Amino acid sequence: MNLDFSEEQKQLKEQVGRFLAENCPPAAVRAVLEGEQHHDAKLYKGIADLGLLGAAIPEEYGGVGLGQLELCVIAEELGRVIAPVPVASTVYLGAECLLHAGTEDQKSTWLPKIAAGEAIGCWAINEGSGRMRPEKVTASFENGKLNGTKSPVADGAIADFAIVLAKEGSGVSLCLVDLSGDGVERENLESIDPTRSQTKLTFNGASATRIGDAGDGWHIATQVMDKAAILIGFEQLGGADRALEMGRDYALERMAFGRQIGSFQAIKHMLSDMYVSATLARSNCYYGAWALASSAAELPLAAATARVSATTAFQHCAKNNIQVHGGMGFTWAFDCHLYYRRSNALALMIGSLSTWESLLIERMSTGNVEAAA
Amino acid sequence: MDFKDTPEEAKFRKEVRSWIDANAPKHLEAELKRASFGSSGLTSEDPIEAGKAWQKKKAEAGWACLHWPKEYGGGARTAMERVIWSQEEGPYAVLSSPFTIGHGMCGPTVMEWASEEQKEELLPPLASGEEIWCQLFSEPASGSDLAGLRTRAVKADDGSGDWIINGQKIWTSGAQNSDWGLLITRTDPDVPKHKGLTMFFLSMKTPGVKVVPIKQANGASGFNEVYFDDVRIPDAQRLGAVGEGWRVSLTTLMNERLSIGSGMSTGFPELFKFCMDAEVDGEPATADSGVRSKLAQFAVKQSGLKYTGMRAISALSKGETPGPENSIGKLVAGATMQELSMFALDLQGEAGVLWNEDSPQNGRFQAMLMRSPATRIEGGSDEILRNIIGERVLGLPGDIRVDKDVPFKDIPASGKGRS
Ligand SMILES: Cc1cc2nc3c(=O)[nH]c(=O)nc-3n(C[C@H](O)[C@H](O)[C@H](O)COP(=O)(O)OP(=O)(O)OC[C@H]3O[C@@H](n4cnc5c(N)ncnc54)[C@H](O)[C@@H]3O)c2cc1C
């Protein structure tokens, strides 16, 4: 048994970390937060040039052909610097969905572009407020044409293609739309985390091709979101660790009543609780990474475990990081709110915390409890 | 990233499994499975005798104290082999709980500080379960603040070199069954508190030692008061130099954290099974969204601890040493057990108040409710563990110590037990 990454994977992590420290300082995140752009295009290109987007894409489709574990370590580093780039939408969801269920044509059209950073994807599942269920879908797909509205769609503003969940006959299907075609309208939406923008996509007879079998859309989407949950879990883990570090550093620097605030137990204990939740999340994410890389039967269980734990940890660390910083933590000038925004936005992406909590228990009920216990 | 055994590990597992299969006291299995932390669950046999019998059997076949060298009665096994053993030992591990303190804490301290002769005399019977040890550290006025202890050891004035001990220990787990104790005393009250301590070991049958059981909040009596009334022991039973007792105690405390924290269960599997059967508003409890949310949070704590343990073992097997980060095991498990048992009782409705054989799972959650407060205190309270994580893992400043450079005798104390 060895619940750890290999030396090569750790080296990759370090390398990616160094690149991002240089190319994605908080100022780059703020430029997207405060500016007109919806992502940092230069950073995204740099990430593509390093081969990171294609890490888990096979070489025949223009990828590097490493694996899911490599993608996990990359995700953690992206999460650490809360990189304002559409990797989750494009790679964890888009590329993984195509690899999982796409036709040869869909794969060879889009995967090489994804790997090269030339095509951005988005995952258009939601339709308004409330937990997503297949019965709620009103968008429809018929005779190669797509109609309806999807909202919110992360990274929809900058995406070249969308993967859309739509009614087809009596079931729901997933389909692929080239967003540069006719019959596509985009409307940008305000959100709590503008560093990963949200959009409303409206389709008026847009041309689309189906991914997988008719009526199999929810099933495929669930499988793809399970895998993405682990990768997003690693992003959350990176963010949680960084928020903890920021809080720790400030607690060492800030003086009150003639002492470092980190010497007050209320602060020290808050930070140690942040460490505890980040550590539990790390361990659960490693379990997820193992399941992802080995396509274990436990994958759905491991995905929900990693997701619930990582969401809880990132929200816990990001909110208490502000608390440790006091008034400074609530200023625009300090970076605490960047992590607070991202922690809350990621908590809702691909299904809210309570959705995943519910899934976890459902999966335990049908599976083997001992596996998780 | 791999959960599979290597071929050598698989071979070892097979060997362990078949030995346990052939030798374990299977008739006790059902009872042992009901154990909750701090109680063996055994009622049909005396837990101490059953424990000694199982330990002896293990020792004779080379399965006792897998982490100790062979010459002291141990198994000299690797970290990974120890883990495999404990996975396979399953519920029978509970039988060895009378030896936890001896094997996990006292043994390693003796191994590091005693003379070769003493080790050869003391350790093998400890490993084989013939003798039980206890840890005589805490006192009425010194628990978390262990270095504030007052039990005095003074050189006898007859020139024999012997020490005369007077004072009182408290919360001593298993003292009533113990043959030996590891005892920390104050030998110099005129220097700051950490500097005037000295460590000894002694037979619990030494004249002047009196053990008085304490009735605990949960009704059981696992720990005791121990009084020392002019107890005389030879200087040869000193561990480490005079005044070096604090340093010696750190060996014990470090090992304590390792042996208590690792692999602790939170009770989640039992709670989950209970929820599968229980109903809420006419539906299975696990269909209720509020129940699911709570259960999921307990679940990720349980699995987080499990995989944190596996990461520690992975590191250990690569030759890294476990550090203070292991403090999270007991910190998370203790608090989770307490919340989890309250939640289980809540689902039982007003009948949750009842604690009898008819209670779900034989009153297991009631027992857990009543035992878990102790888990949050023993072996370092939640607050002390948070300090350790904050200071030793995160590098935050130490608490302000007003008693740091003050001679012990001048430190203000809470009235009780001042000698
Ligand atoms: C079931 C059980 C078994 C035990 N077995 C043994 C045994 O075998 N041998 C043995 O020697 N001892 C044993 N103990 C004693 C145990 O080690 C002490 O109870 C423990 O260290 C706490 O000390 P205390 O009870 O004196 O509490 P105190 O130290 O008085 O603590 C009271 C409260 O103050 C808090 N506190 C104290 N200091 C600080 C601080 N610096 N910062 C923040 N908060 C603080 C504590 O967290 C706690 O909440 C056992 C205890 C229990 C409950």
Side-chain angles (χ1 to χ4, degrees):
Chain A
M1 191 210 66
N2 180 17
L3 192 58
D4 198 1
F5 288 99
S6 69
E7 285 314 312
E8 292 77 34
Q9 286 152 356
K10 287 180 188 168
Q11 272 168 17
L12 173 68
K13 181 168 187 279
E14 220 174 277
Q15 216 182 327
V16 175
R18 247 181 291 134
F19 172 81
L20 290 173
E22 205 168 298
N23 294 282
C24 187
V29 182
R30 282 172 180 276
V32 174
L33 177 75
E34 297 169 7
E36 296 291 305
Q37 303 301 317
H38 296 294
H39 77 304
D40 184 336
K42 186 163 158 261
L43 174 65
Y44 196 60
K45 183 77 173 70
I47 290 171
D49 290 346
L50 279 183
L52 305 183
L53 298 177
I57 295 176
E59 282 164 290
E60 50 177 317
Y61 298 119
V64 181
L66 290 168
Q68 298 286 350
L69 290 176
E70 285 73 14
L71 208 48
C72 289
V73 301
I74 293 167
E76 185 182 337
E77 293 308 304
L78 290 171
R80 224 185 126 68
V81 297
I82 49 174
V85 288
V87 179
S89 304
T90 310
V91 179
Y92 317 155
L93 292 160
E96 288 298 322
C97 181
L98 293 176
L99 279 169
H100 180 68
T103 64
E104 192 48 46
D105 189 45
Q106 288 167 334
K107 287 195 248 190
S108 54
T109 305
W110 291 103
L111 290 175
K113 289 189 192 161
I114 292 175
E118 287 157 10
I120 290 172
C122 64
W123 184 247
I125 300 291
N126 300 312
E127 291 190 19
S129 188
R131 282 191 199 170
M132 203 48 215
R133 296 177 280 121
E135 299 78 40
K136 273 180 69 173
V137 174
T138 62
S140 65
F141 175 65
E142 209 183 339
N143 300 326
K145 298 290 174 199
L146 185 66
N147 282 290
T149 300
K150 288 290 177 178
S151 165
V153 179
D155 300 311
I158 48 173
D160 300 286
F161 69 92
I163 295 176
V164 184
L165 188 68
K167 268 194 312 196
E168 185 181 15
S170 59
V172 291
S173 302
L174 275 183
C175 53
L176 179 67
V177 189
D178 183 338
L179 295 176
S180 64
D182 291 338
V184 178
E185 265 172 57
R186 313 187 200 218
E187 183 192 332
N188 294 328
L189 308 172
E190 307 250 323
S191 86
I192 56 168
D193 180 18
T195 65
R196 287 213 177 148
S197 66
Q198 301 290 340
T199 307
K200 181 198 266 185
L201 290 182
T202 305
F203 301 104
N204 295 307
S207 297
T209 54
R210 191 173 348 89
I211 300 176
D213 293 334
D216 213 17
W218 185 250
H219 178 62
I220 298 170
T222 304
Q223 290 177 322
V224 172
M225 287 195 285
D226 277 352
K227 292 184 171 186
I230 294 162
L231 294 161
I232 294 171
F234 271 91
E235 281 200 6
Q236 293 170 306
L237 183 60
D241 259 1
R242 180 66 197 129
L244 165 62
E245 256 173 46
M246 288 163 71
R248 193 263 324 267
D249 291 350
Y250 192 74
L252 286 170
E253 182 190 304
R254 173 72 173 170
M255 305 287 287
F257 299 94
R259 21 197 294 214
Q260 292 158 293
I261 58 167
S263 68
F264 294 116
Q265 279 194 349
I267 297 293
K268 187 183 292 178
H269 288 190
M270 185 156 46
L271 287 163
S272 80
D273 282 342
M274 288 156 73
Y275 171 83
V276 168
S277 69
T279 301
L280 296 178
R282 175 169 297 280
S283 303
N284 282 319
C285 282
Y286 281 25
Y287 167 51
W290 163 79
L292 185 61
S294 61
S295 303
E298 286 162 276
L299 177 65
L301 186 63
T305 302
R307 172 77 177 152
V308 169
S309 193
T311 299
T312 305
F314 193 12
Q315 288 187 308
H316 179 83
C317 289
K319 76 177 181 195
N320 284 334
N321 180 36
I322 296 184
Q323 187 65 20
V324 169
H325 278 77
M328 278 301 177
F330 193 60
T331 62
W332 190 267
F334 268 63
D335 295 332
C336 305
H337 67 105
L338 304 181
Y339 284 81
Y340 187 62
R341 288 171 193 282
R342 183 63 66 79
S343 71
N344 285 294
L346 284 186
L348 301 170
M349 192 174 187
I350 62 162
S352 62
L353 176 60
S354 66
T355 308
W356 282 97
E357 284 174 339
S358 187
L359 270 177
L360 173 57
I361 297 311
E362 198 176 296
R363 290 168 179 185
M364 282 187 162
S365 311
T366 51
N368 180 1
V369 197
E370 307 295 337
Chain B
M1 203 68 80
D2 191 359
F3 285 121
K4 283 197 296 284
D5 286 340
T6 63
E8 301 85 68
E9 287 163 6
K11 183 164 163 269
F12 180 74
R13 188 183 296 281
K14 219 173 126 197
E15 196 186 328
V16 169
R17 191 172 289 174
S18 67
W19 188 84
I20 289 178
D21 199 47
N23 293 282
K26 295 232 173 74
H27 61 288
L28 301 176
E29 186 180 340
E31 276 176 86
L32 292 172
K33 280 191 166 155
R34 289 209 309 266
S36 71
F37 193 75
S39 128
S40 68
L42 272 194
T43 48
S44 68
E45 279 184 27
D46 175 42
I48 299 292
E49 288 314 314
K52 285 189 166 181
W54 176 230
Q55 192 63 30
K56 182 152 180 255
K57 219 171 196 182
K58 289 198 279 187
E60 282 166 354
W63 298 120
C65 293
L66 296 183
H67 57 309
W68 288 11
K70 287 215 163 102
E71 64 263 37
Y72 304 133
R77 296 292 184 168
T78 64
M80 201 55 82
E81 288 171 335
R82 267 144 47 197
V83 171
I84 293 172
W85 168 270
S86 68
Q87 287 169 343
E88 296 299 326
E89 189 177 16
Y92 302 109
V94 175
L95 284 170
S96 302
S97 54
F99 312 108
T100 306
I101 291 174
H103 291 165
M105 286 121 81
C106 303
T109 310
V110 167
M111 221 174 293
E112 189 162 329
W113 295 93
S115 72
E116 196 49 46
E117 268 165 32
Q118 288 170 331
K119 290 194 248 187
E120 278 163 22
E121 183 195 330
L122 296 169
L123 293 174
L126 170 54
S128 64
E130 282 150 68
E131 291 177 347
I132 297 179
W133 281 63
C134 62
Q135 179 193 13
L136 300 156
F137 280 22
S138 302
E139 297 185 12
S142 73
S144 304
D145 181 14
L146 174 60
L149 61 91
R150 305 193 150 69
T151 292
R152 288 294 310 270
V154 181
K155 277 263 163 143
D157 52 16
D158 58 6
S160 61
D162 292 354
W163 294 86
I164 308 294
I165 295 162
N166 280 287
Q168 181 198 351
K169 295 289 173 179
I170 195 168
W171 325 128
T172 316
S173 299
Q176 75 276 37
N177 306 312
S178 290
D179 304 282
W180 296 93
L182 194 62
L183 172 71
I184 185 161
T185 63
R186 182 163 308 279
T187 39
D188 187 353
D190 296 322
V191 293
K193 63 181 186 178
H194 289 92
K195 299 198 171 131
L197 305 175
T198 304
M199 186 77 80
F200 299 93
F201 64 87
L202 84 170
S203 160
M204 293 300 282
K205 318 241 156 42
T206 313
V209 177
K210 189 168 110 191
V211 175
V212 181
I214 304 175
K215 187 165 183 182
Q216 296 163 186
N218 63 349
S221 288
F223 58 38
N224 306 266
E225 291 179 291
V226 181
Y227 294 89
F228 297 88
D229 184 10
D230 284 335
V231 173
R232 175 184 283 258
I233 54 173
D235 188 54
Q237 291 180 200
R238 176 165 45 80
L239 294 175
V242 174
E244 284 282 293
W246 184 251
R247 222 153 71 84
V248 183
S249 77
L250 290 181
T251 309
T252 322
L253 299 175
M254 295 229 312
N255 281 289
E256 174 170 34
R257 233 149 262 145
L258 268 181
S259 67
I260 297 193
S262 57
M264 245 173 111
S265 170
T266 61
F268 176 76
E270 297 84 348
L271 176 70
F272 191 80
K273 280 189 198 113
F274 168 62
C275 288
M276 293 279 275
D277 298 333
E279 53 98 12
V280 170
D281 299 334
E283 299 273 346
T286 48
D288 181 87
S289 62
V291 172
R292 284 191 187 199
S293 175
K294 279 265 197 186
L295 278 180
Q297 288 296 333
F298 291 134
V300 301
K301 288 203 172 113
Q302 165 82 42
S303 66
L305 283 186
K306 173 177 163 184
Y307 299 120
T308 299
M310 288 192 178
R311 285 173 52 216
I313 293 155
S314 303
L316 208 61
S317 71
K318 288 179 199 161
E320 292 164 34
T321 38
E325 64 277 5
N326 289 296
S327 300
I328 84 167
K330 193 183 79 86
L331 179 61
V332 174
T336 304
M337 262 193 256
Q338 192 167 39
E339 281 176 50
L340 184 153
S341 56
M342 288 178 183
F343 179 63
L345 265 59
D346 178 276
L347 289 178
Q348 292 168 23
E350 290 188 40
V353 74
L354 303 176
W355 183 5
N356 55 32
E357 310 86 78
D358 297 336
S359 311
Q361 297 186 12
N362 259 311
R364 175 179 198 98
F365 299 111
Q366 281 73 10
M368 194 182 281
L369 176 81
M370 293 309 297
R371 179 56 172 74
S372 51
T375 309
R376 297 183 54 200
I377 297 166
E378 64 195 328
S381 68
D382 285 5
E383 290 69 33
I384 296 297
L385 296 180
R386 285 194 175 93
N387 277 355
I388 289 172
I389 293 171
E391 293 167 21
R392 307 243 300 276
V393 182
L394 299 177
L396 295 168
D399 277 9
I400 298 218
R401 297 188 196 286
V402 292
D403 57 1
K404 196 160 173 249
D405 297 316
V406 183
F408 176 75
K409 62 178 170 29
D410 299 332
I411 298 173
S414 37
K416 209 175 164 212
R418 183 101 211 216
S419 59

